[in-house]
Each structure stands twice: as C-alpha cells, then as structure tokens.
Amino acid sequence: MNYQKKYQKQIQLNRYYIIPLNKKLRIFKEGNGNVKTYLRFRPNNQAELELNQNGLGSNIIEFINNQTVKIINDSVNYTVDCAFGPESTQDTIYENIASCVVNDVLIGYNGTIFAYGVSGSGKSHTMFGNIEDQEQMGIIPRMCAQLFQHINNSSNNNEEQDEIEWTIKCSMLEIYKECLQDSFNNDDFDKKGDLKIKETPQKGIIVQGLTERVVQDENELLQLVDFGYNTRQIRATRLNEYSSRSHTIFMVMIRQKLMNGAEKIGKLNLIDLAGCEKVSKSGASGEGLEEAIKINLSLSCLGKVIHSLTTGQDHIPYRDSKLTRILQESLGGNYKTSLIVTCSMHSKFTDDTISSLKFATRAKTIKNHFKVNQWLDL
C-alpha cells in the first residue's frame, strides 16, 4: 500500500477517489458536465449565391451574440456554447472546440467530438477537411499533430517524462446501412462481414474484431486517417457531390505507463455522421435511396435517445441502432462530449436549419459523468 500512503494527501486535496481493482488502485477524479454544443454555419455555395442574386433566396440567420442565433423574423432564440459564422476557419474551430478535448484525453479522460447536420452542411469538411492542405485540415488530422507534439514536448521539457511509455492505438469504423465495417480491413465487405458490438465490465462497449493499429508518430497516424477516409462509402446527390453514405468513427486510445507501474488511459472518438436528408431534395434512388433510409433511421434513433435523456425517461433506447449503441457512453456516460452542428444560412434550407438548431439546444442539456482513468500498482 506504499502508493496509497504516498498519494493519500494529494488524493484528498484534489477530491480523488480510490477503488481496489485486483492488484492495482484505481484513482480517478470525478466530474459532471453537460454535452458541449456548437453551431457552425457554412458559407453559401455558388447555387445559393445565384439564388440570392436573382431574388430567389436570402440568408436567414441573425447572430444575437457568439452563443445565440435566431431565424430572421422569428422570436425564438437558440443558445449553445458557441456559434461560428461562415468566416470561421478550420484553425478557429479546432482551437476553440477540439484542442481542449484532446488535452483532457491526454490527462486520462475519455472524449468524443461528433458532427451532425444535413447532407452538404460541412460535417466532413469540419472533421476531416483536406489532409494535404495545412489550412484546410479538419479536426482529425489536426488532432494527430497535437497528440504527438504533446508527447515530444513532454519528453524534451521534463526529464521525468522520459520514464513514460506511450502507446497509441487507433481504429476506424463505418456504419453503413446498419452494418459495422472495419475501415482498416482491405477485404471486401462480403469477406469481413458485419462486426458485432459487445459490452464488458472492463472495457465498456467495444466492437469485436475491429482492427487496432499501433502508431509511432504523426505521419503514421495521418496515413491511417487518409487510408480510412478514402475507403468511405460516398455517392453523388443533388445536395452533395461527395455525400457520405455511412457514419465514420475514428477512435484513438492513448496509454501512458510509468516505470513504477502506474497507468493512465484516455480514449478519443471523432465521429463524422452521415447527413440526414430529404429524398425529395437529394434525389436519391435505388441503392442511394436504401442508404438514405438507413441513415435517416439511425439519426432518428439518435434523436430519440437525446429526447429520452433530456426528458428524464427511465428507458433510454440506446439499442435501437448501431450508432446509438456505440455512442451510449458518449451520451450520458463516462465521456466529455462535444457536438458540432453544421448548418446552412440560406433560406432554401430553412426547415432543415431549424431542425438542426433544435437538435443542438436539446443535446446541450445532456449531462455526462466523467472521470480520469488512472491506476497505480499496489
């Protein structure tokens, strides 16, 4: 019990708690907090600009302040943690939303960032962006840089950090037509089949058989991001030339192990949801129509989960879809979660934008209970 005596005073001062776990002490700092919600409005595209020029449309969003927006000529205000206009850069989004989540994961918390919005509203641009363009990189490639910059700086600035053994593992998953596909598996879908979700007391919710890759540096991690991104299911629609037809989940596990046996583990989920779409607008047909139906169904299940969580329901329907099952710990569980709702400012999408604004304000009231995942040897 030497470690318990050594850290007891610090533990009490910082309101840490100790739970026996086999031959280790589990130390965690508890906290509660709401899901952080953000709005990001994309610039008008060429078609919308032409509609405006011809008097057939206009911008409908009014910014009250940096947290509150409203629809012009409507009295309802929508308040989130921060609202970003069409002039916001990729760097601004990352520094104000994602950077702090990555820092929390490096401390030992679990973190989730996911993007929600209609098709063509800028979700994939926000989460992935252009990996080959420094200015247009999205959250996921920028996370790779921050992660390894932290590891390198820690080793250079603190001699004690040289004793830390870092292990970085990543996985990438697609939910395509309610089937779980391994983005790092080169086999075709018929060979690799539909992966299964399992819940264990030790690891929580996991996807059985999902490939985990150990990475040593930023470039290796970026290469895997690029590989997984280019294997996604996409299809051209009226709304988006490169419409994602699946939900994409990029997962990173960061383990820090000291020479004395102490361990700290943080998990990070970065999620690019497929866009909800009205078939009358997207023009989907055939297999594209089947994809749209499955996408809308899973997003409807997500809406039901959020409604249940925010209205005090006894039963939360996490098991109604693969997406909500995987997001279970991020919504009401042991994760610090941030939601980015992407929207259009144009009157062509008024109904969709109002629906997205309502989704964001509902999600903001979800409360999570999170803790640092840290163990000390006995």
Side-chain angles (χ1 to χ4, degrees), residues 263-298:
E263 290 184 4
K264 187 159 55 178
I265 298 175
K267 299 176 183 178
L268 178 62
N269 296 327
L270 300 169
I271 304 170
D272 178 19
L273 296 178
C276 50
E277 63 183 62
K278 294 179 179 177
V279 175
S280 59
K281 287 185 177 181
S282 69
S285 61
E287 188 173 15
L289 176 59
E290 182 183 351
E291 293 167 346
I293 291 172
K294 293 292 187 181
I295 290 168
N296 289 340
L297 178 62
S298 64

Side-chain angles (χ1 to χ4, degrees), residues 178 297-298 301-302 317-326:
E178 277 300 287
L297 178 62
S298 64
C301 291
L302 176 60
Y318 291 115
R319 294 178 180 269
D320 284 2
S321 77
K322 302 286 180 65
L323 174 64
T324 50
R325 187 75 172 112
I326 289 174

Side-chain angles (χ1 to χ4, degrees), residues 247-260:
H247 308 301
T248 303
I249 305 172
F250 188 72
M251 293 167 276
V252 182
M253 188 278 289
I254 303 167
R255 181 192 298 270
Q256 303 171 54
K257 185 174 182 179
L258 296 175
M259 298 300 291
N260 62 15

Side-chain angles (χ1 to χ4, degrees), residues 16 27-29 99-111 146-147 150 154 164 166 254-256 263-267 336 370-375:
Y16 279 78
I27 297 180
F28 58 83
K29 186 176 182 181
S99 179
C100 57
V101 177
V102 176
N103 284 333
D104 285 336
V105 172
L106 288 164
I107 293 171
Y109 289 104
N110 298 327
Q146 181 182 350
L147 170 59
H150 174 88
S154 296
I164 295 180
W166 294 86
I254 303 167
R255 181 192 298 270
Q256 303 171 54
E263 290 184 4
K264 187 159 55 178
I265 298 175
K267 299 176 183 178
K336 289 192 171 187
F370 39 78
K371 53 185 176 284
V372 171
N373 304 299
Q374 184 171 347
W375 291 265

Side-chain angles (χ1 to χ4, degrees), residues 55-89:
L56 300 175
S58 62
N59 289 344
I60 58 168
I61 296 297
E62 177 183 343
F63 283 79
I64 307 301
N65 52 47
N66 64 356
Q67 293 181 301
T68 303
V69 301
K70 66 187 290 288
I71 304 295
I72 292 175
N73 298 325
D74 192 348
S75 60
V76 179
N77 289 344
Y78 301 93
T79 299
V80 294
D81 288 280
C82 193
F84 298 89
E87 74 287 347
S88 60
T89 65

Side-chain angles (χ1 to χ4, degrees), residues 39-45 48-49 59-63 69 83-90 92-93 121 125-126 136 341-346:
L39 299 174
R40 187 183 193 185
F41 293 92
R42 65 164 173 79
N44 288 335
N45 58 34
E48 292 160 353
L49 291 173
N59 289 344
I60 58 168
I61 296 297
E62 177 183 343
F63 283 79
V69 301
F84 298 89
E87 74 287 347
S88 60
T89 65
Q90 295 284 66
T92 297
I93 295 298
S121 60
H125 175 69
T126 297
Q136 294 303 316
V341 176
T342 56
C343 304
S344 168
M345 299 182 66
H346 197 268

